[in-house]
Each structure stands twice: as C-alpha cells, then as structure tokens.
Amino acid sequence: METAAADDAGSATRALILALVALACGHMLSTLLRTIPAISLDLMAADFYLEPQALASLTSVYHFAFAASQIPVGAAMDRFGVRPVSLSLLAGTVVGAIASGFATGPSSFAFGQLLLGIATSGMLMCPMTLAAKQLSAGRFGLWSGAILSIGNIGMLLSASPLAFVVDQYGWRAGFWISALGGVAVALAVFVLVPHQPAEHKDDSSPLSQMIEVLRLGLSRPLRGLIALAMVSLATSLVLRGLWGGPWLMEIKGLSRIEAGNQLGAFTLAMIAGPLLMGMIDRKVGRRRDLVAGTHAVAAVLVALMALGAPHYAVAWLFGVPVMPPQYDLVLFVLIGLAISAQPLLFGMCRQLVDAQTAGKALAAVNLAFFLGTALMQSITGAVAAFAGLPAVLLFMAIALIVGVLVFLAYTSPLRATG
C-alpha cells in the first residue's frame, strides 16, 4: 500500500512538473516576442519611415495592453482554471504574431502589438497560479524562480539566433517563427496540463473580481512589493528588450551579431539568476534584505554602464574616449544576476495571501511589473530623443533606487507591527 501511494505521489509530482514546464514555455514565447525590437528596431523603423525613438515609444502599446489585461486574466484563472485560459491566450498569441509580421506601417504594427500584449498577458501567471495553488509557500519560491528562468530562454532566442535570422530573412521572420512556436506550445499545454475546475471557484461578478485585484495591489501589505515591481522588471526588460541593442550598436559600434552575443550573455545571466536567487533565499532566509540589496546593486551597475559612454565620468577616469564593449559585457552579466531576485516578490506576495485569492494577488504584482515596463518604455523613448542613451540608463538607475527605498519603507518590520 505504501509503495502504491508513493508511486501515485511520484506520478502526480511528475505530471505537475510537466504541466508547469509546458506553461512556462508560453512565458518563453512571450519574452521572445516582447524583445524582438531590441535586435531589429532600426530595420523596423526604416520600413515604417519612423525615427527609432518614435517606434520605441510605439512598442509600449504591447506593455500597456499586457498590463491592463492582468486584471481580467487574474480573475479568469481564479474563476475558470488555468488550462482553458492558457489555451485561449496561446491562440490569441498566434494571431497577434501573424498580425505583427504582416504590419505595413505604424498603425498596423501597433494593432499587432496590442493583440500580442493582450494574448501574452497571462503567460507568466498561468504557471505561477498553478504552482501557487498546488505547492507550499516554501516550494513555490523555488519554482517561481524556475518558471522565470525557463521563460527567460525566450530572450536568449531573441539575441544572437534572432540577429542571424533578421540579417538573413528580415525582421518579419521573427514573428513568423513565434507564430509557429505558439502552435507548438498550445499542443503541449493541451496534452500535458490536466483539465481541472478552478480549485477555489469564485462566483462573484467579473467586475467585482477585477476590483479585488486592484484592491489587493493597493493594500498596505502589498504596497512595498508593488512599488519595487513597478521598476524591477521594467529595468531588465527595457534594457534587454529595447535599448541594449541600440546602446551596443550606436554607442559602442558593435555589429548586430556582436550586439546579439552580448545580449545573449545578459540573458544567460537572467536565466541562471532566478534559480540562484531562489537557492540563496532558501539557504539564507532573509528575503527582504536579499531583494532590496540585489536591486540596489543593479541600480549602481546600470549607472556605471551609462557613465562609460563617451565623455562621461568612468571613461574620463580611465583616460579613454569610451569604455570598451568588454566593460559593458561584464556589467550586463552582473546586472542580469543582480536583478534576478524579481521572482522573490511573487514569493513574498504568496506568503501574504491565502490560496483563494492567490491568482488575483499574483496578478496584481504582475500588473505592477508590466505597467511599470510600459511606463518606463514610453518615458525612456522621450528621454532618448531629448538627452540620448546614457541619460536613459541613468534614468533607469534612479528609478530602481526609488523603488528600493519605497520597498524598504513599506516592508519595514516596525511598520508591520506598528
């Protein structure tokens, strides 16, 4: 009997792992799609007769749609379950990728980005919600890092491999490949994710559920997490998904493939980082200090990258016109590792809510992640147009520091007990 029970438990664990991996592949597809502009912004802008800075601001349509969709998607997962929501979103992703690939100008491209933003909005929350409902808070912290690491492989694909594809076949090929990937992931989800009713089915109206997502996000316990979430993922995604390529090609003079290689190293750090932070968190047990410290270090590193530009402080101190690309490579890797404490914010959130509201609470944090990304993408487009790329990096560094300070203030033990 004990052997049979152990076999059943092992089978259930394997089934859960396969389901989480299949869903995490949807997040991988999402990160690929949102970072295509980093390696092809100049070609897309030329096709649409736009300045790159204007197109950079236009791509924020994706992130605004993504952020706005967090509320209904979070409510839908609590109401209907993960599998039907995931399959619906993957179908939309395929349509959005095709629409973006067929874009002929700013309007049609913005429409494609709108579709993709809506459709990929739940790609991270689907595996996160399944894990939150099936795992203990302790195991969830480790798995949230694993899910984010799998998802970040999409950014690895959009580095050197995408740069090669873009050079050979044009920027549209990236969207065609993503559409095919969406079909493959949908088939994997259909086969591997079990059809289960929502564990904690909520029969309240969709409007009241959406209001609950916002209420949770603005509640005092989550306020510090939301503040840091607003700038955390924004810094890594806007740097990796938008300005990293132009920085390396325009400021450092690298070719598209060379820039892709550096962004690939950045992405490898972002893949390894969440797993590493999850292990450190389990061993050290000082989650608040780890999250704040790593984000503060990331802010300093981003500022150092900016100050290595021509005629800026670090280049001046070393007596060179501009810091060499190797300097940026080291900083990219260190930034990727330091800022990878992001999934610990999900773990902190999970500790503060019960399983019934886990989907909504996690959606509130994810909403902050991507609303912040949309805002930073829009603002940095204007900053780049008026003050140049070094100012973009300095702005992101300052935003990170402000987020860390607000996080520390609202998660202070004195405030919690006061």
Side-chain angles (χ1 to χ4, degrees):
M1 291 290 290
E2 291 181 4
T3 303
D7 288 344
D8 288 344
S11 297
T13 300
R14 284 191 295 274
L16 176 60
I17 290 172
L18 288 172
L20 289 173
V21 170
L23 292 168
C25 286
H27 179 44
M28 183 198 307
L29 181 64
S30 173
T31 60
L32 167 62
L33 282 162
R34 80 169 68 102
T35 51
I36 287 176
I39 212 71
S40 55
L41 188 68
D42 55 335
L43 298 177
M44 295 164 70
D47 263 11
F48 299 152
Y49 303 102
L50 285 178
E51 289 296 317
Q53 293 88 348
L55 183 60
S57 294
L58 186 64
T59 60
S60 66
V61 170
Y62 174 103
H63 295 289
F64 277 116
F66 193 111
S69 301
Q70 292 305 307
I71 299 174
V73 166
M77 278 190 284
D78 279 340
R79 188 177 183 89
F80 302 113
V82 170
R83 186 175 187 265
V85 172
S86 176
L87 289 172
S88 299
L89 294 175
L90 284 164
T93 299
V94 173
V95 173
I98 292 171
S100 294
F102 275 118
T104 56
S107 298
S108 54
F109 181 70
F111 177 69
Q113 291 292 287
L114 176 69
L115 291 178
L116 283 175
I118 295 169
T120 61
S121 61
M123 295 305 185
L124 176 57
M125 295 317 301
C126 284
M128 286 291 188
T129 300
L130 183 64
K133 290 180 181 295
Q134 300 287 333
L135 301 172
S136 65
R139 292 182 66 201
F140 174 75
L142 185 62
W143 263 102
S144 62
I147 290 165
L148 204 61
S149 292
I150 293 170
N152 285 343
I153 294 173
M155 287 190 280
L156 188 62
L157 296 175
S158 69
S160 301
L162 180 65
F164 174 79
V165 169
V166 169
D167 272 345
Q168 296 296 315
Y169 306 106
W171 63 266
R172 297 177 191 274
F175 289 105
W176 306 136
I177 292 170
S178 298
L180 292 174
V183 174
V185 174
L187 289 172
V189 169
F190 184 81
V191 171
L192 297 172
V193 178
H195 182 71
Q196 299 173 328
E199 186 179 343
H200 300 281
K201 189 172 177 66
D202 186 346
D203 292 319
S204 60
S205 71
L207 178 60
S208 66
Q209 293 181 42
M210 293 178 194
I211 291 171
E212 179 68 6
V213 172
L214 292 177
R215 187 196 67 76
L216 283 166
L218 295 173
S219 65
R220 182 173 291 276
L222 296 188
R223 211 169 289 168
L225 278 62
I226 295 296
L228 187 54
M230 288 283 289
V231 295
S232 173
L233 193 66
T235 300
S236 56
L237 287 189
V238 172
L239 182 59
R240 170 60 187 86
L242 185 61
W243 296 118
W247 173 264
L248 292 169
M249 289 187 281
E250 295 174 19
I251 304 296
K252 299 305 173 85
L254 298 185
S255 70
R256 194 180 311 279
I257 297 291
E258 289 169 336
N261 290 338
Q262 287 221 13
L263 294 177
F266 182 26
T267 306
L268 284 173
M270 293 171 67
I271 291 169
L275 288 171
L276 177 64
M277 291 298 171
M279 290 186 286
I280 294 173
D281 174 56
R282 284 178 70 109
K283 183 160 290 196
V284 176
R286 297 173 63 88
R287 185 171 287 179
R288 174 178 178 268
D289 296 339
L290 180 61
V291 169
T294 52
H295 280 82
V297 168
V300 172
L301 294 170
V302 173
L304 287 174
M305 183 177 288
L307 297 176
H311 314 302
Y312 277 69
V314 173
W316 179 80
L317 283 172
F318 279 89
V320 294
V322 60
M323 293 301 289
Q326 292 83 352
Y327 172 79
D328 301 87
L329 176 61
V330 172
L331 288 176
F332 270 128
V333 171
L334 294 176
I335 292 166
L337 292 173
I339 209 160
S340 291
Q342 290 155 356
L344 297 181
L345 291 172
F346 285 119
M348 293 180 74
C349 173
R350 178 64 186 89
Q351 289 176 313
L352 294 171
V353 299
D354 57 27
Q356 185 171 352
T357 56
K360 299 185 189 73
L362 293 173
V365 173
N366 212 38
L367 169 61
F369 274 138
F370 289 98
L371 178 59
T373 300
L375 290 171
M376 188 172 286
Q377 194 150 321
S378 297
I379 294 169
T380 54
V383 172
F386 286 105
L389 292 180
V392 167
L393 299 187
L394 290 173
F395 173 83
M396 290 194 288
I398 292 169
L400 264 182
I401 288 294
V402 171
V404 168
L405 293 175
V406 176
F407 170 80
L408 287 173
Y410 274 98
T411 58
S412 166
L414 291 177
R415 178 181 285 271
T417 57

